[in-house]
Amino acid sequence: MLKDLSPQSFFMGVLTAFVGFASSFAVVLQGLKGVGATDYEAASGLMALSVSMGVCAIVLSAWTRLPISIAWSTPGAALLVSAGTVEGGFPAAVGAFLVCGVLIVIAGLFRPLGRAVAAIPAPLANAMLAGVILGLCFAPFKAIAFDAWLGLPILIAWAVVATVKRLYAVPAALVAFVAVMIFGVDLPDGAMASWTAGLAPPLALVLPVFTLPALVSIALPLFIVTMASQNIPGIAVLKVHDYDPQPGPLFAVTGFFSLLSAPFGGHAVNLAAITAAMCAGEDAHPDPARRYWAAIIGGAGYIVLGLLAGAVTAFVSLAPPVLIQAVAGLALIGAFSGSAVAAFREPETREAAAVTFLITASGVSFAGISGAFWGLIAGGLMMGLQRVARRG
């Protein structure tokens, strides 16, 4: 197993952990506070999620030898913001998190769902992936518009290294980001004191309370959003890169790790979509059979970041969010171009793929479910109508 480890996989794994954590940790904190968590409880939830998804990624990737990247439910965290504090406060929310984890395990063990996910047509899966990552691919250029002195070094480092050795272009962008943070961002007074105070891992055990309002307004919507916006697209991303895992066991394992993180404030652990494309792509390693190490290294990175949640949060929060997104966008340009070409390659499925891509990329949501899920549904309906018309 160790013979499969490579510098490319190591760098991509480190980048995956950094991008996955830094790009959305603020949403997680805001969501947990939205349902009644104190600052310390929210930090504990962030740490529990990061450690849980790190261990989960290591276990699943080592077990299957596939690049299975794990993430927290960012759409779920956004949903918590709108849900607000329910009767019973944060303990009731934790009870809802536990129920959501149980539902994910049940969904993973219910075989018809696994068969339905495995049947997603490749053009639609590629179109969905392209739509999911399109927004982040804009970020490097938005960063230049935001502040050219901060954004240009990151883009130039990526472009220059890409002309020499494409596999090391993204690590070069990450190094440039750190340099920009050190030399280009003015640190506020007391920044170092905040960083030192956050070195101790936050850990708060919350005894769950089960209430009907929390189950209706948090548990059920969180389950639907996590499955539709994270787990199903996560499987689709792996299919795009020619991996064929069994969805059910993966869903069940993520549900189990969701249950482990819930008592400490974590809302949901699930398959990743965007960072999955980073670990499963050619930048992780030219040989698809050796890319699983990127997900393993990424999992180890999540554990480290989770244990240092307070300190890392204090440091990363000093950077303008668009700079963090710029690094992620550069890492996904290759994945976007590949998925877009594959999505629109066949003329007979081009319209259905376009519908999936446009709905996904629009960012619209209906009934609390993101456009990635509705894009697949609409594209599937379009594909079905076209098949009926051809038969007629």
Side-chain angles (χ1 to χ4, degrees), residues 303-331:
I303 294 173
V304 173
L305 290 169
L307 294 176
L308 298 174
V312 171
T313 299
F315 175 76
V316 174
S317 63
L318 300 175
V322 70
L323 294 184
I324 302 169
Q325 296 164 7
V327 178
L330 292 172

Side-chain angles (χ1 to χ4, degrees), residues 4-212:
D4 292 334
L5 180 61
S6 65
Q8 300 100 304
S9 297
F10 181 84
F11 281 125
M12 186 55 67
V14 172
L15 179 63
T16 296
F18 179 79
V19 170
F21 187 95
S23 62
S24 57
F25 75 92
V27 180
V28 173
L29 291 175
Q30 186 177 4
L32 294 176
K33 292 179 182 179
V35 290
T38 64
D39 289 343
Y40 191 79
E41 288 171 337
S44 173
L46 181 67
M47 184 200 71
L49 286 169
S50 190
V51 171
S52 293
M53 65 194 201
V55 175
C56 185
I58 293 172
V59 170
L60 287 178
S61 299
W63 172 40
T64 63
R65 301 295 176 92
L66 300 176
I68 299 174
S69 183
I70 304 297
W72 48 52
S73 178
T74 303
L79 182 145
L80 297 180
V81 176
S82 61
T85 304
V86 296
E87 179 183 345
F90 190 57
V94 169
F97 299 163
L98 286 169
V99 172
C100 176
V102 171
L103 292 175
I104 295 174
V105 171
I106 294 174
L109 299 177
F110 186 57
R111 289 188 177 181
L113 177 60
R115 288 196 294 266
V117 174
I120 297 174
L124 301 188
N126 277 289
M128 184 216 65
L129 174 60
V132 166
I133 63 181
L134 177 64
L136 270 178
C137 289
F138 291 143
F141 313 103
K142 290 183 178 179
I144 296 173
F146 171 77
D147 190 324
W149 291 107
L150 298 180
L152 270 176
I154 298 173
L155 181 61
I156 291 174
W158 174 84
V160 170
V161 176
T163 61
V164 180
K165 187 69 172 179
R166 188 170 63 87
L167 290 175
Y168 299 110
V170 175
L174 180 59
V175 171
F177 167 81
V178 174
V180 166
M181 279 289 298
I182 294 174
F183 299 107
V185 176
D186 294 329
L187 299 180
D189 295 336
M192 290 305 297
S194 299
W195 183 83
T196 303
L199 289 176
L203 187 64
L205 178 62
V206 181
L207 296 179
V209 174
F210 300 95
T211 66
L212 183 60

Side-chain angles (χ1 to χ4, degrees), residues 1-6 65 290 292-293 296-297:
M1 185 172 169
L2 285 175
K3 63 182 174 58
D4 292 334
L5 180 61
S6 65
R65 301 295 176 92
R290 297 177 62 181
Y292 69 93
W293 264 106
I296 292 177
I297 296 299

